[in-house]
Amino acid sequence: MNRPLPSPRNLARRLLSLGRGRGLDLSGQASFAVPAQAITTLAGPTEFRDTLLSLIAQARRRIVLVALYLQDDDAGREVIEALHAARKAHPDLSVEVYVDWHRARRGLIGKGDSEGNAAMYRDYAQRLGEGVVIRGVPVQNRELFGVLHLKGFIIDDAVLYSGASLNDVYLARHGRYRLDRYHLIRHQALADSMVGYVDAQFRGRDAVPRLDRLPLPRTRDLQEPIRRLRQSLQQAQYEGISEAPGDGDVAVIPLAGFGRNDNALNETLLALLRGAQRRVILLTPYFNLPRQVRVVIGHLLRRGCQLDIMVGDKTANDFYIPPEQPFSRIGLLPYLYEANLRRFAHDHQGAIDSGQLNLWLWRDGDNTYHLKGLLVDGEFAVLTGNNLNPRAWALDLENGLLLRDPSRRLLPQHEAEWQALRRHATRLAHYRDLPGVRSYPPEVRKLLRRMRRMRLDRLVNRLL
């Protein structure tokens, strides 16, 4: 029988004990003892793509893929064709894909009206059969106010975890890539727990329709089912019988988070930051930290903890529009993030000068940056799709894997990942090294002035 799981608030209290020197109490949690050798950090998007396709081809019992989207492009079609091929080779294989409902039914931003990726799903189902079930998850009634940002590909007893979605740039097709983090964990109980969450929250719910067949319901007709889904998600956590870690094991704790209150993932992230003793590495693609995180970072710096923050250069942002291309309003976002970073650097210039705070800007040609997560004191790591921004904090459905590694068996992998990232990163020596608003393109300066005059900049930051 499963042990009762504590409330998110109780989980936060236990994690807060890190800062008081009592250690991390995992009793009663869905915590899985994973041998360190069963956890692998993949080197990059090409290895991630190859591993995903290999796992799909080898699958015999189940495939459950959860991502923001599965795109109608070469890489997306390669994945969906691999899924159909696996199902054809093994008719008893269960294949389910869950993507965001709103994102699947629209075209790309700025590309005009479209039936979205759902049209591709229906086309494959009509040609190859309905053995690959693709469902859309509407976390909110409108995409602006929240999306499915849950992550994890479970294939038999393997968990392939990344913040990446499935398209050409995430899977490094056609010479460009969007860099994320990629981890493969082979452990049956963890895989069962992650599948159990998806089954309990999504499978069979009226709010989660199939996208691979017609007719599709209207979102307005799903309002009451969506309300019930939100209520369920606010209470939901991963379940499972806890396992006591042995020598050489890593405790892996899957956590979900949805909404501002009693959000286990948010509280865990804050608790880990508060309890840090020596060093924190924080990764985020969009520098727009929630207020609570900024406050804790201030405390960390005041008590002498070393802090490394890596973000993407504005040109490595997926919304960046080069000057030679026609500008649209979505191209304002990278400049907003850069302005946030410049203000943060200004406020903490003393810590930058002393080397206590290191701000790293990642850039590699025309490739883009999408990393997120925490590394704390060499013992704790958080793998997550959470962007560490106000939207993730309050609107989107997020999850993450907390890894506790007291023996530091994974430290060589973490260090190798960090060194690889820094090969394409530059340390910011002074806030003035970042351009000011006066140097921005005229269209950007005009939009920023208008937003500040109407006091919309804070609202926009909360929705980003």
Side-chain angles (χ1 to χ4, degrees):
M1 182 176 180
N2 289 358
R3 299 178 186 177
L5 293 173
S7 69
R9 195 174 299 279
N10 286 338
L11 172 62
R13 290 194 186 103
R14 288 173 177 174
L15 286 169
L16 281 171
S17 67
L18 284 167
R20 296 191 291 270
R22 291 203 302 264
L24 178 60
D25 181 6
L26 297 175
S27 61
Q29 309 300 324
S31 175
F32 304 100
V34 180
Q37 62 268 26
I39 302 175
T40 305
T41 304
L42 305 183
T46 300
E47 187 176 2
F48 171 61
R49 181 190 70 215
D50 293 344
T51 300
L52 174 61
L53 294 174
S54 176
L55 289 172
I56 290 173
Q58 297 170 27
R60 296 296 181 268
R61 293 188 295 109
R62 64 183 177 194
I63 298 175
V64 179
L65 307 186
V66 185
L68 177 61
Y69 56 84
L70 170 60
Q71 189 72 30
D72 182 6
D73 60 15
D74 288 342
R77 286 188 287 271
E78 183 177 32
V79 170
I80 199 169
E81 287 169 5
L83 295 172
H84 278 281
R87 182 64 165 70
K88 182 178 179 181
H90 303 281
D92 293 333
L93 179 66
S94 172
V95 183
E96 295 186 333
V97 181
Y98 294 87
V99 295
D100 182 73
W101 165 259
H102 302 287
R103 181 67 175 78
R105 295 168 56 252
R106 67 162 173 83
L108 297 173
I109 294 176
K111 300 299 183 182
D113 293 336
S114 165
E115 290 187 84
N117 298 319
M120 176 185 72
Y121 308 155
R122 294 194 299 272
D123 175 66
Y124 273 98
Q126 291 167 2
R127 291 191 290 110
L128 303 179
E130 294 190 342
V132 175
V133 176
I134 305 181
R135 299 184 186 275
V137 181
V139 170
Q140 303 282 1
N141 291 321
R142 299 188 64 177
E143 183 179 359
L144 176 65
F145 300 119
V147 296
L148 173 75
H149 217 241
L150 210 73
K151 306 297 181 182
F153 304 148
I154 302 96
I155 302 172
D156 288 342
D157 295 334
V159 176
L160 182 58
Y161 193 93
S162 175
S165 288
L166 299 170
N167 70 355
D168 281 345
V169 68
Y170 277 118
L171 297 182
R173 294 290 303 267
H174 307 306
R176 293 184 64 244
Y177 66 87
R178 181 168 299 150
L179 187 67
D180 212 290
R181 303 178 70 201
Y182 320 96
H183 293 83
L184 176 62
I185 305 176
R186 296 184 181 272
H187 192 267
Q188 180 179 345
L190 174 64
D192 289 345
S193 178
M194 297 187 74
V195 169
Y197 180 97
V198 170
D199 284 350
Q201 298 306 313
F202 304 151
R203 195 175 194 181
R205 282 190 180 265
D206 293 339
V208 186
R210 290 184 66 160
L211 289 163
D212 53 354
R213 60 168 60 158
L214 292 174
L216 294 181
R218 298 178 301 178
T219 302
R220 70 179 65 175
D221 297 330
L222 296 174
Q223 288 187 7
E224 179 56 26
I226 292 173
R227 184 188 67 81
R228 293 196 299 269
L229 174 62
R230 286 202 305 266
Q231 289 179 335
S232 178
L233 291 173
Q234 287 167 355
Q235 304 297 322
Q237 279 300 321
Y238 292 95
E239 298 183 359
I241 300 175
S242 291
E243 302 169 343
D247 182 42
D249 286 342
V250 176
V252 179
I253 307 168
L255 296 164
F258 182 59
R260 290 182 175 84
N261 301 317
D262 284 336
N263 184 311
L265 181 59
N266 290 355
E267 294 296 342
T268 300
L269 293 168
L270 285 175
L272 288 170
L273 288 171
R274 288 181 182 127
Q277 300 299 311
R278 297 178 303 280
R279 186 185 185 193
V280 171
I281 296 175
L282 185 152
L283 307 169
T284 177
Y286 313 119
F287 195 83
N288 185 23
L289 298 174
R291 181 188 62 81
Q292 301 97 316
V293 175
R294 296 198 307 271
V295 169
V296 175
I297 284 176
H299 293 162
L300 284 177
L301 293 174
R302 282 192 290 275
R303 58 185 174 83
C305 189
Q306 181 179 337
L307 178 62
D308 288 81
I309 300 177
M310 183 176 287
V311 300
D313 181 87
K314 71 172 177 289
T315 62
N317 187 288
D318 39 328
F319 295 111
Y320 178 73
I321 300 175
E324 65 273 11
Q325 295 182 13
F327 184 80
S328 66
R329 291 183 178 181
I330 197 68
L332 175 67
L333 298 184
Y335 296 93
L336 283 174
Y337 298 133
E338 184 176 71
N340 290 342
L341 182 63
R342 195 175 194 269
R343 284 193 295 270
F344 178 85
H346 173 272
D347 293 343
H348 298 288
Q349 184 61 50
I352 294 173
D353 292 340
S354 70
Q356 183 191 0
L357 172 62
N358 299 299
L359 300 178
W360 300 90
L361 294 178
W362 185 97
R363 182 177 182 181
D364 180 21
D366 62 349
N367 300 298
T368 50
Y369 175 96
H370 197 245
L371 279 77
K372 57 283 300 262
L374 288 179
L375 296 171
V376 179
D377 292 338
E379 180 177 354
F380 298 93
V382 178
L383 317 179
T384 184
N386 189 311
N387 289 319
L388 292 172
N389 60 4
R391 182 180 180 90
W393 218 249
L395 301 178
D396 296 338
L397 174 62
E398 304 279 358
N399 71 346
L401 301 178
L402 169 62
L403 279 57
R404 187 196 180 193
D405 178 26
S407 300
R408 290 161 172 75
R409 300 292 181 92
L410 300 181
L411 190 57
Q413 291 191 47
H414 298 326
E415 289 295 335
E417 182 185 23
W418 180 234
Q419 290 178 17
L421 289 174
R422 285 182 297 157
R423 283 201 293 269
H424 297 294
T426 302
R427 183 183 182 273
L428 188 68
H430 199 280
Y431 78 90
R432 291 196 185 94
D433 293 342
L434 291 171
V437 173
R438 293 181 180 179
S439 67
Y440 288 168
E443 303 95 329
V444 174
R445 295 200 305 270
K446 180 179 178 181
L447 284 172
L448 287 174
R449 284 197 303 269
R450 184 180 303 170
M451 287 174 57
R452 289 169 182 168
R453 187 168 60 247
M454 300 177 67
R455 299 184 177 179
L456 291 175
D457 49 339
R458 292 184 181 181
L459 175 62
V460 169
N461 271 324
R462 289 178 60 188
L463 293 174
L464 293 180

